[in-house]
Protein backbone atom coordinates (compact mmCIF):
# COMPACT_ATOMS: atom_id res chain seq x y z
CA UNK A 1 0.00 0.00 0.00
CA UNK A 2 1.34 3.44 -0.90
CA UNK A 3 2.55 5.89 1.71
CA UNK A 4 -0.21 8.28 0.62
CA UNK A 5 -2.86 5.71 1.46
CA UNK A 6 -1.47 5.41 4.98
CA UNK A 7 -0.89 9.11 5.62
CA UNK A 8 -3.19 10.83 8.12
CA UNK A 9 -5.81 13.16 6.72
CA UNK A 10 -7.29 16.25 8.28
CA UNK A 11 -10.72 15.48 9.65
CA UNK A 12 -13.31 16.85 11.99
CA UNK A 13 -11.44 15.43 14.97
CA UNK A 14 -12.82 13.09 17.62
CA UNK A 15 -16.38 13.73 18.68
CA UNK A 16 -17.40 14.60 22.23
CA UNK A 17 -17.28 11.82 24.77
CA UNK A 18 -20.32 10.18 26.34
CA UNK A 19 -20.23 12.52 29.29
CA UNK A 20 -19.92 15.77 27.38
CA UNK A 21 -23.66 16.35 27.29
CA UNK A 22 -23.76 16.85 23.52
CA UNK A 23 -26.29 14.80 21.58
CA UNK A 24 -25.23 15.96 18.12
CA UNK A 25 -24.74 13.06 15.70
CA UNK A 26 -21.27 12.75 14.13
CA UNK A 27 -20.96 14.33 10.70
CA UNK A 28 -21.04 11.70 7.88
CA UNK A 29 -17.65 11.12 6.27
CA UNK A 30 -16.38 9.32 3.20
CA UNK A 31 -14.63 6.23 4.59
CA UNK A 32 -11.87 6.18 1.93
CA UNK A 33 -10.82 9.85 1.89
CA UNK A 34 -12.11 11.17 5.20
CA UNK A 35 -13.84 14.01 3.34
CA UNK A 36 -17.06 15.41 4.79
CA UNK A 37 -19.95 14.25 2.64
CA UNK A 38 -21.53 17.66 3.17
CA UNK A 39 -18.52 19.32 1.48
CA UNK A 40 -18.55 16.81 -1.37
CA UNK A 41 -22.29 17.37 -1.84
CA UNK A 42 -21.72 21.12 -2.12
CA UNK A 43 -18.94 20.67 -4.72
CA UNK A 44 -20.93 18.18 -6.80
CA UNK A 45 -23.95 20.52 -6.72
CA UNK A 46 -21.78 23.47 -7.76
CA UNK A 47 -20.38 21.57 -10.73
CA UNK A 48 -23.90 20.51 -11.67
CA UNK A 49 -25.08 24.12 -11.49
CA UNK A 50 -22.28 25.05 -13.87
CA UNK A 51 -23.47 22.42 -16.34
CA UNK A 52 -27.01 23.70 -15.95
CA UNK A 53 -25.88 27.25 -16.71
CA UNK A 54 -24.25 26.02 -19.90
CA UNK A 55 -27.59 24.69 -21.13
CA UNK A 56 -29.71 27.61 -19.93
CA UNK A 57 -29.89 30.40 -22.49
CA UNK A 58 -31.20 33.92 -22.34
CA UNK A 59 -33.29 35.24 -25.22
CA UNK A 60 -30.30 36.51 -27.17
CA UNK A 61 -28.37 33.25 -26.87
CA UNK A 62 -31.51 31.28 -27.78
CA UNK A 63 -31.94 33.37 -30.93
CA UNK A 64 -28.28 32.82 -31.86
CA UNK A 65 -28.58 29.05 -31.34
CA UNK A 66 -31.72 29.00 -33.47
CA UNK A 67 -29.86 30.83 -36.24
CA UNK A 68 -26.98 28.33 -36.05
CA UNK A 69 -29.37 25.36 -36.16
CA UNK A 70 -31.18 26.77 -39.19
CA UNK A 71 -27.84 27.24 -40.93
CA UNK A 72 -26.76 23.64 -40.23
CA UNK A 73 -30.06 22.17 -41.39
CA UNK A 74 -29.99 24.32 -44.53
CA UNK A 75 -26.44 23.11 -45.08
CA UNK A 76 -27.61 19.49 -44.91
CA UNK A 77 -30.30 20.28 -47.49
CA UNK A 78 -27.68 21.68 -49.86
CA UNK A 79 -25.49 18.61 -49.31
CA UNK A 80 -28.43 16.42 -50.30
CA UNK A 81 -28.97 18.43 -53.48
CA UNK A 82 -25.28 18.23 -54.38
CA UNK A 83 -25.39 14.68 -55.78
CA UNK A 84 -28.62 13.21 -54.42
CA UNK A 85 -26.92 10.66 -52.18
CA UNK A 86 -28.69 11.56 -48.93
CA UNK A 87 -32.37 10.58 -48.60
CA UNK A 88 -34.72 13.35 -49.75
CA UNK A 89 -37.04 12.91 -46.75
CA UNK A 90 -34.47 12.57 -44.00
CA UNK A 91 -34.82 12.38 -40.21
CA UNK A 92 -31.90 13.77 -38.22
CA UNK A 93 -31.22 13.19 -34.53
CA UNK A 94 -29.95 16.33 -32.77
CA UNK A 95 -28.31 15.66 -29.39
CA UNK A 96 -27.34 18.23 -26.79
CA UNK A 97 -23.59 17.87 -26.26
CA UNK A 98 -20.77 17.06 -28.63
CA UNK A 99 -19.20 13.70 -29.39
CA UNK A 100 -16.50 14.53 -26.84
CA UNK A 101 -19.26 14.66 -24.19
CA UNK A 102 -20.02 10.97 -24.76
CA UNK A 103 -23.48 11.38 -26.29
CA UNK A 104 -22.61 8.64 -28.82
CA UNK A 105 -20.46 5.54 -28.45
CA UNK A 106 -17.33 6.60 -30.33
CA UNK A 107 -13.62 6.66 -29.52
CA UNK A 108 -12.18 10.11 -28.94
CA UNK A 109 -8.49 9.50 -29.75
CA UNK A 110 -8.69 11.07 -33.21
CA UNK A 111 -10.67 14.14 -32.13
CA UNK A 112 -9.00 17.43 -31.39
CA UNK A 113 -9.41 18.55 -27.80
CA UNK A 114 -11.76 21.52 -27.95
CA UNK A 115 -12.31 23.37 -24.69
CA UNK A 116 -15.74 24.69 -23.83
CA UNK A 117 -15.39 28.36 -23.00
CA UNK A 118 -12.15 28.60 -24.99
CA UNK A 119 -13.02 27.18 -28.41
CA UNK A 120 -16.82 27.07 -28.21
CA UNK A 121 -19.69 27.94 -25.90
CA UNK A 122 -22.40 25.39 -26.75
CA UNK A 123 -22.05 22.00 -28.45
CA UNK A 124 -24.35 19.60 -30.27
CA UNK A 125 -24.12 16.29 -32.11
CA UNK A 126 -26.11 15.77 -35.31
CA UNK A 127 -26.63 12.24 -36.66
CA UNK A 128 -27.35 12.42 -40.40
CA UNK A 129 -28.69 9.22 -42.01
CA UNK A 130 -26.88 8.42 -45.24
CA UNK A 131 -29.10 5.36 -45.67
CA UNK A 132 -32.45 4.43 -44.10
CA UNK A 133 -34.15 1.08 -43.61
CA UNK A 134 -37.54 1.96 -42.17
CA UNK A 135 -39.85 -0.62 -43.68
CA UNK A 136 -39.16 -3.65 -41.49
CA UNK A 137 -41.50 -5.13 -38.89
CA UNK A 138 -39.24 -8.05 -37.91
CA UNK A 139 -36.07 -7.86 -35.78
CA UNK A 140 -33.27 -6.57 -38.00
CA UNK A 141 -30.63 -9.23 -38.73
CA UNK A 142 -27.21 -7.92 -39.68
CA UNK A 143 -24.07 -9.63 -40.97
CA UNK A 144 -22.05 -9.77 -37.74
CA UNK A 145 -20.04 -12.91 -38.49
CA UNK A 146 -16.87 -11.04 -39.38
CA UNK A 147 -17.00 -8.52 -36.53
CA UNK A 148 -16.59 -8.21 -32.79
CA UNK A 149 -19.82 -8.12 -30.71
CA UNK A 150 -21.80 -4.94 -31.27
CA UNK A 151 -20.30 -4.36 -34.72
CA UNK A 152 -21.36 -5.35 -38.22
CA UNK A 153 -20.76 -5.10 -41.93
CA UNK A 154 -23.55 -3.70 -44.11
CA UNK A 155 -24.23 -5.29 -47.48
CA UNK A 156 -26.08 -3.30 -50.14
CA UNK A 157 -28.19 -6.37 -50.87
CA UNK A 158 -30.67 -4.82 -48.42
CA UNK A 159 -31.25 -1.86 -50.76
CA UNK A 160 -32.68 -1.22 -54.21
CA UNK A 161 -30.67 -0.74 -57.41
CA UNK A 162 -31.05 3.05 -57.31
CA UNK A 163 -29.45 3.22 -53.88
CA UNK A 164 -26.66 0.91 -55.01
CA UNK A 165 -25.96 3.14 -58.00
CA UNK A 166 -25.75 6.29 -55.87
CA UNK A 167 -23.46 4.79 -53.23
CA UNK A 168 -21.34 2.33 -55.20
CA UNK A 169 -18.32 4.65 -55.03
CA UNK A 170 -18.52 4.56 -51.20
CA UNK A 171 -18.45 0.77 -50.98
CA UNK A 172 -15.80 -1.89 -50.55
CA UNK A 173 -16.04 -5.21 -52.37
CA UNK A 174 -15.83 -8.18 -50.02
CA UNK A 175 -12.98 -10.60 -50.61
CA UNK A 176 -14.81 -13.65 -49.31
CA UNK A 177 -18.22 -15.23 -49.70
CA UNK A 178 -20.66 -13.59 -47.30
CA UNK A 179 -23.32 -16.25 -47.08
CA UNK A 180 -25.71 -18.51 -48.85
CA UNK A 181 -27.55 -15.49 -50.23
CA UNK A 182 -24.77 -15.06 -52.78
CA UNK A 183 -26.08 -18.09 -54.66
CA UNK A 184 -29.43 -16.41 -55.16
CA UNK A 185 -30.18 -14.68 -58.45
CA UNK A 186 -31.92 -11.82 -56.61
CA UNK A 187 -29.71 -8.80 -55.94
CA UNK A 188 -26.66 -10.95 -56.82
CA UNK A 189 -24.77 -7.91 -58.07
CA UNK A 190 -25.19 -6.17 -54.73
CA UNK A 191 -24.04 -8.93 -52.40
CA UNK A 192 -20.32 -8.22 -52.58
CA UNK A 193 -20.67 -4.46 -52.08
CA UNK A 194 -20.35 -3.38 -48.47
CA UNK A 195 -21.05 0.15 -47.28
CA UNK A 196 -17.72 1.60 -46.14
CA UNK A 197 -17.73 3.95 -43.11
CA UNK A 198 -14.37 5.48 -44.05
CA UNK A 199 -15.47 6.22 -47.62
CA UNK A 200 -18.84 7.57 -46.46
CA UNK A 201 -17.26 9.92 -43.91
CA UNK A 202 -14.72 11.13 -46.45
CA UNK A 203 -17.45 11.80 -49.02
CA UNK A 204 -19.61 13.56 -46.44
CA UNK A 205 -16.84 15.92 -45.30
CA UNK A 206 -15.92 16.74 -48.91
CA UNK A 207 -19.56 17.46 -49.72
CA UNK A 208 -19.95 19.74 -46.68
CA UNK A 209 -16.70 21.55 -47.54
CA UNK A 210 -17.83 22.04 -51.14
CA UNK A 211 -21.13 23.59 -50.06
CA UNK A 212 -19.38 25.84 -47.51
CA UNK A 213 -16.97 27.09 -50.18
CA UNK A 214 -19.89 27.92 -52.46
CA UNK A 215 -21.68 29.77 -49.67
CA UNK A 216 -18.46 31.64 -48.90
CA UNK A 217 -18.34 33.04 -52.44
CA UNK A 218 -21.64 34.84 -51.90
CA UNK A 219 -21.79 35.67 -48.19
CA UNK A 220 -25.03 37.09 -46.84
CA UNK A 221 -25.21 39.43 -43.94
CA UNK A 222 -26.69 37.87 -40.82
CA UNK A 223 -25.59 34.30 -41.57
CA UNK A 224 -23.21 32.56 -39.14
CA UNK A 225 -19.48 32.78 -39.72
CA UNK A 226 -17.74 29.40 -40.08
CA UNK A 227 -14.70 29.42 -37.80
CA UNK A 228 -13.75 25.76 -38.28
CA UNK A 229 -14.83 22.88 -40.49
CA UNK A 230 -12.61 19.86 -39.85
CA UNK A 231 -12.73 16.11 -40.33
CA UNK A 232 -11.28 14.20 -37.41
CA UNK A 233 -11.73 10.45 -37.68
CA UNK A 234 -15.38 9.94 -38.59
CA UNK A 235 -16.64 13.29 -37.28
CA UNK A 236 -17.05 16.52 -39.25
CA UNK A 237 -16.80 19.30 -36.65
CA UNK A 238 -18.10 22.76 -37.52
CA UNK A 239 -17.78 25.77 -35.20
CA UNK A 240 -20.11 28.65 -36.05
CA UNK A 241 -19.85 32.20 -34.72
CA UNK A 242 -23.28 33.78 -34.34
CA UNK A 243 -23.42 37.11 -32.54
CA UNK A 244 -21.69 36.48 -29.23
CA UNK A 245 -21.98 32.68 -29.38
CA UNK A 246 -19.66 30.02 -30.75
CA UNK A 247 -21.59 26.85 -31.51
CA UNK A 248 -19.92 23.48 -32.12
CA UNK A 249 -21.72 20.91 -34.28
CA UNK A 250 -20.23 17.40 -34.45
CA UNK A 251 -21.89 15.88 -37.51
CA UNK A 252 -21.78 12.11 -38.02
CA UNK A 253 -23.13 10.24 -41.08
CA UNK A 254 -25.00 7.10 -39.96
CA UNK A 255 -27.29 4.33 -41.19
CA UNK A 256 -30.76 4.56 -39.65
CA UNK A 257 -33.03 1.59 -38.86
CA UNK A 258 -36.53 1.36 -37.49
CA UNK A 259 -37.21 -1.47 -35.07
CA UNK A 260 -34.63 -3.34 -33.04
CA UNK A 261 -31.59 -5.50 -33.89
CA UNK A 262 -31.89 -9.23 -33.37
CA UNK A 263 -28.58 -9.26 -31.45
CA UNK A 264 -30.15 -7.12 -28.71
CA UNK A 265 -33.41 -9.06 -28.40
CA UNK A 266 -32.21 -10.77 -25.21
CA UNK A 267 -31.82 -7.39 -23.51
CA UNK A 268 -35.54 -6.76 -23.96
CA UNK A 269 -36.36 -9.91 -21.98
CA UNK A 270 -34.68 -8.61 -18.82
CA UNK A 271 -36.19 -6.38 -16.12
CA UNK A 272 -35.14 -2.74 -16.38
CA UNK A 273 -35.48 0.46 -14.37
CA UNK A 274 -37.63 2.05 -17.06
CA UNK A 275 -40.32 -0.66 -16.91
CA UNK A 276 -43.67 1.02 -16.25
CA UNK A 277 -42.23 4.49 -16.94
CA UNK A 278 -41.68 4.15 -20.68
CA UNK A 279 -43.42 1.98 -23.24
CA UNK A 280 -41.40 -0.57 -25.14
CA UNK A 281 -42.28 1.26 -28.36
CA UNK A 282 -40.59 4.41 -27.04
CA UNK A 283 -37.40 2.57 -26.11
CA UNK A 284 -36.98 0.40 -29.21
CA UNK A 285 -38.24 2.77 -31.89
CA UNK A 286 -34.97 2.60 -33.82
CA UNK A 287 -31.19 2.28 -33.79
CA UNK A 288 -28.20 3.38 -35.86
CA UNK A 289 -24.99 2.13 -37.35
CA UNK A 290 -22.27 4.68 -36.63
CA UNK A 291 -18.82 4.83 -38.27
CA UNK A 292 -16.80 3.28 -35.44
CA UNK A 293 -14.68 0.15 -35.55
CA UNK A 294 -13.68 -2.46 -33.00
CA UNK A 295 -9.93 -2.54 -32.17
CA UNK A 296 -9.36 -5.68 -34.29
CA UNK A 297 -11.92 -4.87 -36.99
CA UNK A 298 -11.54 -3.56 -40.53
CA UNK A 299 -12.05 0.20 -40.50
CA UNK A 300 -13.18 0.29 -44.12
CA UNK A 301 -15.98 -2.23 -43.48
CA UNK A 302 -17.09 -2.24 -39.87
CA UNK A 303 -19.89 -0.18 -38.29
CA UNK A 304 -20.92 -0.05 -34.63
CA UNK A 305 -24.48 -0.43 -33.38
CA UNK A 306 -25.64 2.72 -31.60
CA UNK A 307 -28.73 3.14 -29.43
CA UNK A 308 -28.58 6.92 -29.13
CA UNK A 309 -32.30 7.27 -29.82
CA UNK A 310 -33.13 4.87 -26.96
CA UNK A 311 -30.67 6.59 -24.63
CA UNK A 312 -32.52 9.88 -25.12
CA UNK A 313 -35.67 8.20 -23.80
CA UNK A 314 -33.95 6.39 -20.91
CA UNK A 315 -32.38 9.63 -19.70
CA UNK A 316 -35.87 10.81 -18.73
CA UNK A 317 -36.00 8.12 -16.03
CA UNK A 318 -32.63 8.85 -14.39
CA UNK A 319 -32.85 10.70 -11.08
CA UNK A 320 -31.54 14.24 -10.74
CA UNK A 321 -28.98 13.26 -8.09
CA UNK A 322 -27.52 10.54 -10.33
CA UNK A 323 -27.37 12.97 -13.26
CA UNK A 324 -25.44 15.38 -11.05
CA UNK A 325 -23.01 12.60 -10.11
CA UNK A 326 -22.53 11.77 -13.79
CA UNK A 327 -21.82 15.41 -14.65
CA UNK A 328 -19.14 15.63 -11.97
CA UNK A 329 -17.61 12.36 -13.11
CA UNK A 330 -17.43 13.62 -16.71
CA UNK A 331 -15.68 16.81 -15.60
CA UNK A 332 -13.04 14.83 -13.70
CA UNK A 333 -12.53 12.45 -16.61
CA UNK A 334 -11.98 15.43 -18.92
CA UNK A 335 -9.52 16.88 -16.42
CA UNK A 336 -7.50 13.65 -16.19
CA UNK A 337 -7.80 12.93 -19.94
CA UNK A 338 -7.22 9.18 -19.63
CA UNK A 339 -7.38 7.68 -23.13
CA UNK A 340 -8.81 4.43 -21.81
CA UNK A 341 -11.96 6.06 -20.39
CA UNK A 342 -14.58 8.19 -22.15
CA UNK A 343 -17.74 9.89 -20.88
CA UNK A 344 -19.77 7.19 -22.66
CA UNK A 345 -18.31 4.59 -20.30
CA UNK A 346 -19.63 6.61 -17.36
CA UNK A 347 -23.06 6.90 -19.01
CA UNK A 348 -23.14 3.11 -19.36
CA UNK A 349 -22.26 2.65 -15.68
CA UNK A 350 -25.13 4.98 -14.77
CA UNK A 351 -27.61 2.86 -16.74
CA UNK A 352 -26.33 -0.33 -15.10
CA UNK A 353 -26.62 1.34 -11.69
CA UNK A 354 -30.25 2.23 -12.41
CA UNK A 355 -30.99 -1.45 -13.10
CA UNK A 356 -29.04 -2.64 -10.04
CA UNK A 357 -30.19 -0.22 -7.34
CA UNK A 358 -33.74 0.55 -6.14
CA UNK A 359 -35.34 3.71 -7.45
CA UNK A 360 -36.24 4.81 -3.91
CA UNK A 361 -32.52 5.00 -3.12
CA UNK A 362 -31.44 6.73 -6.35
CA UNK A 363 -34.26 9.26 -6.06
CA UNK A 364 -32.80 10.82 -2.87
CA UNK A 365 -31.76 14.30 -3.95
CA UNK A 366 -29.17 14.73 -1.17
CA UNK A 367 -27.18 11.66 -2.19
CA UNK A 368 -25.42 12.93 -5.33
CA UNK A 369 -22.04 12.96 -3.53
CA UNK A 370 -22.43 9.27 -2.58
CA UNK A 371 -23.49 8.44 -6.13
CA UNK A 372 -20.46 10.29 -7.48
CA UNK A 373 -18.13 8.27 -5.24
CA UNK A 374 -19.96 5.09 -6.26
CA UNK A 375 -19.40 5.86 -9.96
CA UNK A 376 -15.68 6.26 -9.30
CA UNK A 377 -15.65 2.91 -7.48
CA UNK A 378 -17.59 1.26 -10.32
CA UNK A 379 -15.21 2.64 -12.93
CA UNK A 380 -12.13 1.54 -11.01
CA UNK A 381 -13.63 -1.96 -10.63
CA UNK A 382 -14.21 -2.09 -14.40
CA UNK A 383 -10.62 -1.03 -15.14
CA UNK A 384 -9.04 -3.50 -12.74
CA UNK A 385 -11.10 -6.34 -14.23
CA UNK A 386 -10.93 -4.97 -17.80
CA UNK A 387 -14.69 -5.42 -18.06
CA UNK A 388 -17.20 -2.73 -19.03
CA UNK A 389 -20.24 -4.30 -20.72
CA UNK A 390 -22.33 -2.29 -23.13
CA UNK A 391 -25.78 -1.69 -21.62
CA UNK A 392 -27.76 -2.87 -24.67
CA UNK A 393 -25.37 -5.60 -25.85
CA UNK A 394 -23.69 -6.91 -22.65
CA UNK A 395 -21.58 -9.40 -24.63
CA UNK A 396 -19.69 -6.40 -25.99
CA UNK A 397 -16.96 -5.63 -23.45
CA UNK A 398 -15.91 -2.02 -24.07
CA UNK A 399 -12.62 -2.54 -22.14
CA UNK A 400 -11.65 -5.81 -23.80
CA UNK A 401 -9.06 -4.14 -26.01
CA UNK A 402 -7.16 -2.55 -23.10
CA UNK A 403 -3.72 -3.90 -22.31
CA UNK A 404 -3.05 -4.87 -18.72
CA UNK A 405 -0.61 -1.99 -18.35
CA UNK A 406 -3.06 0.60 -19.73
CA UNK A 407 -5.86 -0.62 -17.46
CA UNK A 408 -3.66 -0.60 -14.35
CA UNK A 409 -2.19 2.82 -15.18
CA UNK A 410 -5.65 4.36 -15.60
CA UNK A 411 -6.94 2.64 -12.46
CA UNK A 412 -4.05 4.12 -10.49
CA UNK A 413 -4.80 7.61 -11.77
CA UNK A 414 -8.42 7.13 -10.81
CA UNK A 415 -7.31 5.88 -7.40
CA UNK A 416 -5.57 9.20 -6.75
CA UNK A 417 -8.87 10.96 -7.45
CA UNK A 418 -10.77 8.61 -5.17
CA UNK A 419 -8.26 9.23 -2.39
CA UNK A 420 -8.99 12.96 -2.37
CA UNK A 421 -12.20 13.64 -4.35
CA UNK A 422 -12.84 17.04 -2.76
CA UNK A 423 -9.51 18.44 -3.93
CA UNK A 424 -10.05 17.19 -7.49
CA UNK A 425 -13.57 18.65 -7.56
CA UNK A 426 -12.22 22.01 -6.39
CA UNK A 427 -9.51 21.85 -9.07
CA UNK A 428 -12.13 21.07 -11.71
CA UNK A 429 -14.13 24.12 -10.69
CA UNK A 430 -11.02 26.25 -11.25
CA UNK A 431 -10.48 25.04 -14.83
CA UNK A 432 -10.26 27.92 -17.33
CA UNK A 433 -13.16 26.56 -19.37
CA UNK A 434 -15.48 26.58 -16.36
CA UNK A 435 -14.29 30.01 -15.23
CA UNK A 436 -14.97 31.34 -18.72
CA UNK A 437 -18.48 29.92 -18.65
CA UNK A 438 -19.15 31.41 -15.23
CA UNK A 439 -17.93 34.78 -16.49
CA UNK A 440 -20.28 34.57 -19.47
CA UNK A 441 -23.20 34.05 -17.10
CA UNK A 442 -22.78 37.61 -15.78
CA UNK A 443 -24.80 40.42 -17.41
CA UNK A 444 -23.18 42.43 -20.19
CA UNK A 445 -21.65 45.65 -18.91
CA UNK A 446 -22.38 48.98 -20.62
CA UNK A 447 -18.78 49.16 -21.82
CA UNK A 448 -19.15 45.92 -23.79
CA UNK A 449 -18.85 46.28 -27.61
CA UNK A 450 -22.40 44.95 -27.83
CA UNK A 451 -23.54 48.31 -26.48
CA UNK A 452 -22.42 49.93 -29.74
CA UNK A 453 -25.72 50.61 -31.56
CA UNK A 454 -24.08 50.04 -34.95
CA UNK A 455 -22.69 46.56 -34.11
CA UNK A 456 -24.23 43.28 -35.23
CA UNK A 457 -24.38 42.00 -31.63
CA UNK A 458 -26.28 45.13 -30.57
CA UNK A 459 -28.78 44.46 -33.36
CA UNK A 460 -29.19 40.86 -32.22
CA UNK A 461 -29.73 42.07 -28.68
CA UNK A 462 -32.43 44.56 -29.72
CA UNK A 463 -34.10 41.84 -31.77
CA UNK A 464 -34.09 39.47 -28.78
CA UNK A 465 -35.49 42.19 -26.51
CA UNK A 466 -38.24 42.97 -29.01
CA UNK A 467 -39.14 39.30 -29.26
CA UNK A 468 -39.25 38.96 -25.46
CA UNK A 469 -41.52 41.99 -25.21
CA UNK A 470 -43.93 40.56 -27.79
CA UNK A 471 -44.01 37.19 -25.99
CA UNK A 472 -44.79 38.92 -22.67
CA UNK A 473 -47.51 41.11 -24.12
CA UNK A 474 -49.21 38.37 -26.15
CA UNK A 475 -49.54 35.27 -23.95
CA UNK A 476 -50.88 32.17 -25.67
CA UNK A 477 -50.55 33.59 -29.20
CA UNK A 478 -48.52 32.26 -32.12
CA UNK A 479 -45.50 34.48 -32.78
CA UNK A 480 -43.23 34.14 -35.83
CA UNK A 481 -40.18 36.09 -36.99
CA UNK A 482 -39.41 36.65 -40.66
CA UNK A 483 -35.99 38.03 -41.51
CA UNK A 484 -34.76 38.95 -44.98
CA UNK A 485 -31.14 37.65 -45.07
CA UNK A 486 -30.23 40.43 -47.51
CA UNK A 487 -31.58 43.12 -45.17
CA UNK A 488 -31.44 42.06 -41.54
CA UNK A 489 -32.16 45.63 -40.40
CA UNK A 490 -35.89 45.04 -40.92
CA UNK A 491 -37.25 42.06 -39.00
CA UNK A 492 -40.94 41.33 -39.43
CA UNK A 493 -42.92 39.86 -36.53
CA UNK A 494 -46.24 38.10 -37.08
CA UNK A 495 -48.65 37.54 -34.19
CA UNK A 496 -51.37 35.18 -35.39
CA UNK A 497 -52.31 36.86 -38.69
CA UNK A 498 -51.04 40.41 -38.00
CA UNK A 499 -47.63 41.78 -38.97
CA UNK A 500 -45.55 44.32 -36.97
Amino acid sequence: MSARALSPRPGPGPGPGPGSGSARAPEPLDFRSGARLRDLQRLVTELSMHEQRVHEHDDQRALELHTAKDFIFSLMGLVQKLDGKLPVANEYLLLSGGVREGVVDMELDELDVYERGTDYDVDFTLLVPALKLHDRNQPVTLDMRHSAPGHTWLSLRLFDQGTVGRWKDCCTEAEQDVGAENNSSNNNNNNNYFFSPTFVCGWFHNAVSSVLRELGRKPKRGTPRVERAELRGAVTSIILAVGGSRVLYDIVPVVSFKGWPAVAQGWLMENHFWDGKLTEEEVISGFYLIPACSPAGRRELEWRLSFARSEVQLKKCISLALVQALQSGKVLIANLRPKAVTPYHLRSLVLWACDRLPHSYLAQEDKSAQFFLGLLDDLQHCLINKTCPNYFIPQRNMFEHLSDSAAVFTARRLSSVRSDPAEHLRTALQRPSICAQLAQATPTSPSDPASDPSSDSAHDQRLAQKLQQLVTENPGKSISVFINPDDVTRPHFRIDDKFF
Side-chain angles (χ1 to χ4, degrees):
M1 186 177 292
S2 66
R4 176 163 178 77
L6 292 172
S7 61
R9 301 180 180 280
S20 64
S22 174
R24 188 178 65 178
E27 188 169 5
L29 302 178
D30 170 35
F31 183 90
R32 174 68 187 91
S33 66
R36 294 179 175 89
L37 290 180
R38 180 182 60 181
D39 294 341
L40 290 176
Q41 182 73 25
R42 177 181 55 80
L43 291 168
V44 169
T45 302
E46 192 170 345
L47 269 177
S48 177
M49 290 176 62
H50 155 68
E51 289 295 317
Q52 188 175 350
R53 291 190 196 102
V54 169
H55 298 288
E56 286 182 352
H57 313 302
D58 58 20
D59 295 331
Q60 181 177 347
R61 172 63 62 84
L63 183 62
E64 292 166 351
L65 295 183
H66 181 73
T67 302
K69 185 182 72 173
D70 279 355
F71 178 84
I72 290 293
F73 277 81
S74 298
L75 179 64
M76 293 301 101
L78 294 174
V79 170
Q80 194 282 326
K81 292 179 181 178
L82 196 63
D83 55 11
K85 274 185 162 63
L86 297 182
V88 176
N90 219 348
E91 183 180 353
Y92 309 132
L93 180 63
L94 181 62
L95 302 169
S96 179
V99 170
R100 297 157 188 82
E101 293 291 312
V103 296
V104 287
D105 182 13
M106 300 182 73
E107 282 73 34
L108 308 182
D109 292 350
E110 297 176 319
L111 298 182
D112 284 344
V113 180
Y114 293 159
E115 284 282 352
R116 183 191 292 161
T118 303
D119 302 296
Y120 65 91
D121 304 307
V122 187
D123 53 337
F124 298 94
T125 297
L126 184 66
L127 303 186
V128 177
L131 290 176
K132 297 194 304 180
L133 266 179
H134 285 186
D135 57 350
R136 297 209 164 196
N137 295 320
Q138 300 297 322
V140 181
T141 303
L142 298 166
D143 185 5
M144 309 181 74
R145 291 168 293 169
H146 315 289
S147 306
H151 299 79
T152 185
W153 294 6
L154 182 64
S155 171
L156 288 193
R157 65 180 176 78
L158 300 172
F159 300 89
D160 57 55
Q161 290 293 340
T163 301
V164 175
R166 287 192 298 272
W167 286 105
K168 198 172 182 179
D169 59 340
C170 288
C171 292
T172 297
E173 290 192 67
E175 298 174 358
Q176 70 256 43
D177 186 29
V178 296
E181 300 110 333
N182 287 345
N183 298 323
S184 170
S185 60
N186 296 329
N187 295 329
N188 188 58
N189 294 332
N190 304 346
N191 284 332
N192 290 329
Y193 287 106
F194 286 81
F195 209 40
S196 170
T198 53
F199 291 165
V200 170
C201 292
W203 163 83
F204 182 77
H205 176 72
N206 290 336
V208 169
S209 300
S210 176
V211 172
L212 288 176
R213 284 194 299 269
E214 187 63 29
L215 293 175
R217 294 189 182 100
K218 299 177 181 178
K220 295 182 179 180
R221 187 182 175 191
T223 59
R225 183 178 75 256
V226 180
E227 290 194 345
R228 295 192 189 185
E230 302 174 330
L231 176 64
R232 290 293 181 267
V235 180
T236 294
S237 296
I238 299 177
I239 296 181
L240 303 175
V242 191
S245 302
R246 294 161 303 166
V247 189
L248 168 63
Y249 272 90
D250 287 330
I251 311 177
V252 185
V254 298
V255 181
S256 175
F257 290 86
K258 288 289 187 186
W260 199 246
V263 69
Q265 283 293 310
W267 177 80
L268 288 177
M269 303 297 107
E270 304 291 336
N271 294 324
H272 296 291
F273 70 98
W274 49 268
D275 293 339
K277 303 181 182 69
L278 299 171
T279 65
E280 189 172 284
E281 289 73 20
E282 290 176 297
V283 175
I284 66 170
S285 61
F287 69 100
Y288 298 97
L289 301 184
I290 59 175
C293 181
S294 64
R298 295 176 59 177
R299 293 173 62 91
E300 75 279 8
L301 280 169
E302 195 169 85
W303 299 79
R304 177 175 297 162
L305 276 73
S306 170
F307 302 90
R309 187 184 297 275
S310 300
E311 289 164 353
V312 170
Q313 298 296 326
L314 297 184
K315 186 178 179 181
K316 301 175 183 177
C317 301
I318 300 176
S319 69
L320 175 61
L322 193 51
V323 169
Q324 291 178 341
L326 172 62
Q327 290 169 339
S328 295
K330 285 168 51 182
V331 171
L332 290 192
I333 290 299
N335 205 24
L336 289 174
R337 302 194 189 287
K339 291 185 177 180
V341 178
T342 70
Y344 188 81
H345 294 132
L346 286 178
R347 289 174 179 266
S348 299
L349 294 181
V350 165
L351 294 176
W352 283 116
C354 289
D355 273 356
R356 183 177 71 247
L357 298 167
H359 175 73
S360 58
Y361 170 67
L362 295 176
Q364 299 178 70
E365 296 184 0
D366 60 345
K367 291 290 192 294
S368 54
Q370 288 96 317
F371 300 162
F372 163 70
L373 297 174
L375 279 179
L376 296 184
D377 292 338
D378 263 8
L379 183 57
Q380 192 165 17
H381 172 84
C382 290
L383 285 166
I384 292 173
N385 293 279
K386 287 202 312 180
T387 302
C388 185
N390 180 271
Y391 181 66
F392 299 91
I393 305 178
Q395 59 268 39
R396 182 190 159 216
N397 177 11
M398 295 186 289
F399 280 168
E400 187 175 15
H401 66 285
L402 289 182
S403 65
D404 291 343
S405 59
V408 170
F409 174 75
T410 307
R412 284 176 175 169
R413 295 191 68 184
L414 192 62
S415 177
S416 68
V417 176
R418 185 63 183 86
S419 297
D420 198 353
E423 179 61 28
H424 283 82
L425 288 171
R426 281 190 290 267
T427 301
L429 282 166
Q430 295 168 2
R431 289 180 62 195
S433 60
I434 292 182
C435 293
Q437 285 291 329
L438 294 175
Q440 288 180 5
T442 60
T444 304
S445 63
S447 60
D448 192 275
S451 62
D452 179 2
S454 62
S455 68
D456 287 342
S457 59
H459 171 266
D460 291 340
Q461 190 171 23
R462 292 195 301 271
L463 182 59
Q465 290 172 349
K466 178 65 173 176
L467 183 57
Q468 178 60 40
Q469 179 183 354
L470 290 174
V471 170
T472 303
E473 295 175 351
N474 297 273
K477 294 187 178 181
S478 173
I479 302 178
S480 304
V481 184
F482 297 87
I483 302 178
N484 181 354
D486 298 317
D487 182 14
V488 296
T489 62
R490 300 182 60 192
H492 300 279
F493 297 92
R494 185 180 72 179
I495 301 177
D496 290 340
D497 58 349
K498 295 182 181 180
F499 286 84
F500 295 84

